[in-house]
Amino acid sequence: MRILFVEDDPEQLEPLHALLSRSGHIVDGVQDGDTAQWLIGEKDYDLIILDWMLPGKSGIELCQQYRQVGKTSPILILTAKDTTPDKVIGLDAGADDYVVNPFEFRELLARMRVLLKRSVNQQMPTGNILRVAD
């Protein structure tokens, strides 16, 4: 799976980037919203993980803009902003899930699997049957 991971804190970005890569994912890790916006325009991602507070464009702005152009890949907000109003803002901006720091890596992987499963199920054609040979 190709993941865009946007986190401005190198102490979070580097270890998570390494863990996600070791879990078999192709990860583009960047530290600012402007670079993330450029990458989103250049590549297709299976999952986008966004921090809220970023230099340049915020994670919320990136999420809103991504949805406004009709892109549907799952977005997970990963942030220290932990109030209910913050969570509502993130989800209303178009995020599919919202995880608060600190978190357990196993939980993050489980949430990623759920988002990807939903995404694949939504992309599967329905109603048509394709048969090859027998």
Side-chain angles (χ1 to χ4, degrees):
M1 154 172 50
R2 179 174 288 282
I3 298 172
L4 175 60
F5 179 36
V6 189
E7 168 61 61
D8 65 324
D9 181 358
E11 291 183 15
Q12 293 232 8
L13 176 64
E14 291 166 10
L16 260 176
H17 185 283
L19 287 168
L20 291 169
S21 295
R22 279 197 301 262
S23 296
H25 305 293
I26 300 165
V27 183
D28 290 334
V30 297
Q31 293 182 289
D32 66 273
D34 295 330
T35 303
Q37 184 178 28
W38 179 81
L39 280 171
I40 288 169
E42 295 294 313
K43 297 181 181 182
D44 290 324
Y45 291 96
D46 300 307
L47 175 67
I48 299 172
I49 302 174
L50 298 172
D51 183 15
W52 183 315
M53 298 172 284
L54 298 166
K57 294 200 179 297
S58 74
I60 297 300
E61 290 174 302
L62 287 168
C63 186
Q64 290 169 329
Q65 292 171 355
Y66 189 78
R67 296 298 187 222
Q68 286 171 354
V69 296
K71 294 194 175 186
T72 59
S73 293
I75 297 175
L76 186 146
I77 302 285
L78 182 63
T79 183
K81 294 178 77 68
D82 64 351
T83 68
T84 297
D86 290 334
K87 293 174 188 176
V88 170
I89 290 168
L91 295 168
D92 283 348
D96 298 283
D97 202 356
Y98 192 103
V99 177
V100 175
N101 250 333
F103 61 91
E104 289 280 335
F105 186 65
R106 291 179 310 163
E107 178 184 355
L108 179 64
L109 287 176
R111 289 174 178 267
M112 289 170 51
R113 284 191 301 271
V114 168
L115 290 174
L116 289 169
K117 190 183 309 179
R118 282 188 207 147
S119 177
V120 168
N121 287 340
Q122 290 175 358
Q123 295 173 8
M124 295 294 289
T126 58
N128 296 326
I129 298 173
L130 174 64
R131 293 182 198 257
V132 178
D134 291 339

